[in-house]
Amino acid sequence: MFLHKVRRHASYAQSGAHYDTRLVPKVIHMDEQIILASGSVIRAQLLRNAGVKFDVLVARVDEETINASLEAEQASPRDIADTLAEMKAQRVAAKNPQALVIGCDQVLALGQECFSKPTSPEDAIAQLKTLRGQKHQLLSAAVIYEDGKPVWRHVGVVRLFMRDASDSYLQDYVDRNWDSIQHSVGAYKLEEEGVRLFTRIEGDYFNVLGLPLLELLSYLTLRGTLPS
């Protein structure tokens, strides 16, 4: 079931490319409703700061089951992020077919291994110890649904190089920041103290925050949803 969906989008997911926005006819859409199918405060703030008017409807999907199914089928981290984003958009769009629905997901990958949000401070420390001294990726996927079908998708990739922090620093870091980092894959937030864990970051900072914002805004502008 899930593997079929992944293969259907392989040409987009493997390259990180979205539908070619150069081919989007520029039609002015007056009073078009945009729905963000995510409860992420940061994603909502990014769109709000960009002057986008939208509503929030959190998509209820069983991410653990979907992840397990995709991993069992040896789907790539990129395909996992893309599929989860689409399923969230699809769930909300089913009840709001008139709207542009944005589904999002972010996956942290160390090689082919995907990380989830830490379930406890001990789990957070274990994740950070696994990541330290190595390069990993954050893959931020977004899919837009309109009239019951996907019309745009993009997967942004950021490469992060974590310094070899000591056990004592990681313990203190988690103790100080647990209330915040428990909501983040990899147990860190770059917009907070987590930036001290890294020596180098390659990629778009908006993707670090969980949304390929520039590509999303470009699409909405080209289709006439946002003024140019």
Side-chain angles (χ1 to χ4, degrees), residues 11 49 51 126 159 167:
S11 62
N49 290 347
R159 296 168 181 84
D167 288 354

Side-chain angles (χ1 to χ4, degrees), residues 23-83:
L23 303 180
V24 177
K26 188 165 184 177
V27 178
I28 302 302
H29 300 264
M30 301 300 294
D31 300 322
E32 190 168 42
Q33 183 186 21
I34 298 174
I35 298 176
L36 177 62
S38 169
S40 167
V41 174
I42 292 179
R43 289 186 182 115
Q45 190 62 50
L46 289 175
L47 288 174
R48 198 171 293 117
N49 290 347
V52 179
K53 295 181 180 180
F54 63 97
D55 298 306
V56 174
L57 288 177
V58 180
R60 304 298 180 185
V61 299
D62 188 345
E63 293 190 42
E64 289 188 7
T65 299
I66 297 171
N67 263 317
S69 298
L70 290 168
E71 289 176 358
E73 296 170 351
Q74 298 183 327
S76 70
R78 186 187 292 270
D79 286 338
I80 291 174
D82 178 71
T83 301

Side-chain angles (χ1 to χ4, degrees), residues 150-169:
V151 295
W152 177 89
R153 66 196 328 111
H154 183 81
V155 179
V157 182
V158 179
R159 296 168 181 84
L160 303 97
F161 299 77
M162 188 177 285
R163 69 181 179 88
D164 192 8
S166 66
D167 288 354
S168 60
Y169 177 78

